[in-house]
Amino acid sequence: MSSFKALVATKGETGPNLAFTDFAEADLMEGDVTVRVTHSTVNYKDGLAITGKAPVIRRWPMIPGIDFSGRVETSSHPDFKPGDLVILDGWGTGETHLGAYAQKSRVNGDWLVPLPAGMTPADAMAIGTAGYTAMLCVLALEKHGLKPAHGPVVVTGAAGGVGSVAIALLAKAGWHVIASTGRAEEADYLKGLGASEIIDRNELSNPGKPLAKERWIAGVDAVGSHTLANLLAMTRYGGAVAACGLAQGMDLPASVAPFILRGVSLLGVDSVMCPKPRRLEAWARLAADLDRDKLGAMTSTIPLESVIETGQAIVEGKVRGRVVVEVG
């Protein structure tokens, strides 16, 4: 097709102006692989881009969408040939490089990973960047030497995309999972994913003490700000928190007390520029470790036309789990 359907964002005075339009293939950006996009997803970061609540988009006009799965149409990259099924997460897609909410994308082949055996493109986007980031957090805790026998793990933003996948992965690995959420009505959903305890996010979201009672040995945090500060203050001696998000804020109003008095570690987790070997490890582990029934239980599916309203809803905390976007 010489043109294809895409969601295009142009810069407005109060936020992005969004419109579905026919986009010319000739206007795609440089890259050595062209992919026929079949599926994408709506991550929290996508919601920030769509609503303009954070400066995610840094090039205008832009096709939003930070991740996709699909089939290679053309390639001059040595690792990929036409017909290959691939996944893309990050690398500035939807920020500085035309993104996923379109039927085609042309990208650098080094950004792609092959779809793992036994996984469908829809499965890959049910996981999406949120689930892949959750796996990176689990890997970070494992590489730090932490095990279920050492104590419980807390997951913040538990009903969101990162939180939902993290709970499923950690529970399957044998962890006692404490899920922190502001949505009490999601308790059954979270327990179904494997959470052993549910706590109200208000226990963590307000200013706290520099050092508090030890409650867990590990944490996965997608929230930041006071929540992350309290997680650190309540982490047991020698424990660690993997931090990957900023839903509450980018600030960290904490003290050095947990680090120098309890030997606690803060593990930063980046999914955008993550090196390819670690990406491949994460996707291989997701294919092997993530329960597909639990993945299905946390996933809903929408057409491309519903991306705008879903992006607004995810920022407002009204989206549970994962959302697959059927692009094709």
Side-chain angles (χ1 to χ4, degrees), residues 136-158:
L136 291 176
C137 290
V138 173
L139 290 171
L141 296 173
E142 290 178 352
K143 293 178 190 301
H144 194 72
L146 297 176
K147 300 177 181 178
H150 296 156
V153 60
V154 62
V155 177
T156 64

Side-chain angles (χ1 to χ4, degrees), residues 45-124:
K45 189 173 183 179
D46 293 312
L48 293 175
I50 287 169
T51 60
K53 291 187 178 295
V56 173
I57 297 175
R58 300 192 298 278
R59 175 195 183 276
W60 304 92
M62 175 54 61
I63 297 174
I66 64 171
D67 51 9
F68 65 72
S69 58
R71 189 178 298 275
V72 173
E73 283 198 342
T74 63
S75 172
S76 59
H77 191 281
D79 292 347
F80 300 102
K81 64 183 185 302
D84 286 347
L85 294 171
V86 293
I87 303 168
L88 182 141
D89 297 282
W91 296 114
T93 304
E95 301 178 63
T96 58
H97 192 93
L98 295 177
Y101 296 151
Q103 292 175 314
K104 283 196 180 186
S105 181
R106 185 180 296 128
V107 298
N108 183 334
D110 290 338
W111 299 349
L112 300 170
V113 297
L115 186 77
M119 185 180 289
T120 68
D123 290 337

Side-chain angles (χ1 to χ4, degrees), residues 241-256:
V241 176
C244 65
L246 44 67
Q248 187 179 7
M250 290 185 67
D251 59 323
L252 181 56
S255 80
V256 297

